[in-house]
Amino acid sequence: MKYKETLFFVAKCLTISHEEKNLEIVSKLIKSKNVAWDAVVKLSTGHFVYPALYCNIKRAGLLEYLPMELIGHMEHITELNRERNLQIIEQAKEINSLLISNHITPIFLKGTANLLQGLYGDIAERMVGDIDFIVSKNEYDLAINLLKQNGYYNKPHRLDNEKLGNHYPRMSHQNKIAAVEVHFRMIKYPYELCFNYKTIKDSLLIINNSFSMLSYKNQVLHTSFNK
């Protein structure tokens, strides 16, 4: 399989739970034993969709046609990601409670927001790097200080006193699995002039009467603008 063929194969695999046509194409190719699985693993890992690939193939009942060694590897990586995501959800709950108790409303973004809103059939599907959220301009410094008071830290950085990029330098905690990025904007200047905290704050999704995140429309816009 050439790179383009591998790319399209992985993309189709990620939609077989929703697209009957792609299910037929993928099923036929897998059963033909003509899939270059080494290339598929390399590409899907590089794009952080390896667990999602496994979950979709499993739901389609196609695992029996894969090499046993590959199935074992997929199961292992997916289970590791599931455990990580469970810890990220608990960490996000702690951060949310901490900030809300201090009258700050974090609006969760990206992968963490997707996990909190139950977007996936299996939480192991999404690979999440950091916990991202945005707060208002007036809450920004206080949110950072509260996190630091509760064990989060970052290496000395010029961004401590300058607002470059989209967020405060990523903060870690020695007892927590994920780093945290406190955003003061979601996309880069000058585009953020029309897509910012003020434009999204009145149309938020509230999940479980607790977590705030972008509306579905704004989630699509956020993803699109960043690309």
Side-chain angles (χ1 to χ4, degrees), residues 10-72:
V10 170
K12 286 182 172 65
C13 285
L14 297 177
T15 64
I16 56 178
S17 297
H18 308 284
E19 295 288 342
E20 188 67 29
K21 181 179 178 181
N22 285 347
L23 175 58
E24 293 176 8
I25 294 172
V26 168
S27 179
K28 183 178 180 179
L29 190 56
I30 288 179
K31 291 177 181 179
S32 73
K33 306 292 185 179
N34 289 323
V35 178
W37 287 111
D38 286 346
V40 170
V41 170
K42 182 178 180 180
L43 187 145
S44 58
T45 301
H47 285 277
F48 304 105
V49 294
Y50 190 50
L53 181 76
Y54 167 75
C55 289
N56 276 276
I57 292 175
K58 180 180 180 180
R59 277 197 294 265
L62 296 171
L63 283 182
E64 63 180 291
Y65 302 102
L66 274 60
M68 290 302 298
E69 185 178 356
L70 174 61
I71 295 173

Side-chain angles (χ1 to χ4, degrees), residues 109-120 126 213 219:
L109 307 169
K110 304 180 182 180
T112 301
N114 295 159
L115 292 179
L116 293 172
Q117 71 188 80
L119 188 65
Y120 306 101
R126 178 62 186 256
M213 55 201 66
Q219 287 181 47

Side-chain angles (χ1 to χ4, degrees), residues 1 3-13 26 43:
M1 296 173 74
Y3 178 81
K4 185 177 180 179
E5 293 173 325
T6 306
L7 185 65
F8 274 90
F9 173 77
V10 170
K12 286 182 172 65
C13 285
V26 168
L43 187 145

Side-chain angles (χ1 to χ4, degrees), residues 176-213:
K176 306 297 180 184
I177 197 164
V180 174
E181 293 182 348
V182 184
H183 286 248
F184 54 87
R185 63 185 173 204
M186 295 175 290
I187 57 177
K188 294 180 180 180
Y189 181 87
Y191 311 106
E192 61 115 6
L193 295 176
C194 62
F195 189 73
N196 52 51
Y197 181 87
K198 289 183 179 180
T199 66
I200 58 92
K201 67 181 180 64
D202 294 326
S203 60
L204 299 175
L205 280 179
I206 308 299
I207 303 297
N208 297 326
N209 296 316
S210 179
F211 301 104
S212 298
M213 55 201 66

Side-chain angles (χ1 to χ4, degrees), residues 143-196:
I144 291 166
N145 289 333
L146 284 169
L147 288 171
K148 288 184 175 180
Q149 291 168 19
N150 282 269
Y152 286 87
Y153 63 92
N154 66 295
K155 296 178 180 179
H157 198 288
R158 62 180 295 207
L159 293 187
D160 287 356
N161 298 310
E162 296 182 49
K163 286 188 174 181
L164 303 176
N166 294 333
H167 55 79
Y168 188 76
R170 65 201 322 248
M171 305 171 71
S172 302
H173 191 296
Q174 63 178 2
N175 298 322
K176 306 297 180 184
I177 197 164
V180 174
E181 293 182 348
V182 184
H183 286 248
F184 54 87
R185 63 185 173 204
M186 295 175 290
I187 57 177
K188 294 180 180 180
Y189 181 87
Y191 311 106
E192 61 115 6
L193 295 176
C194 62
F195 189 73
N196 52 51

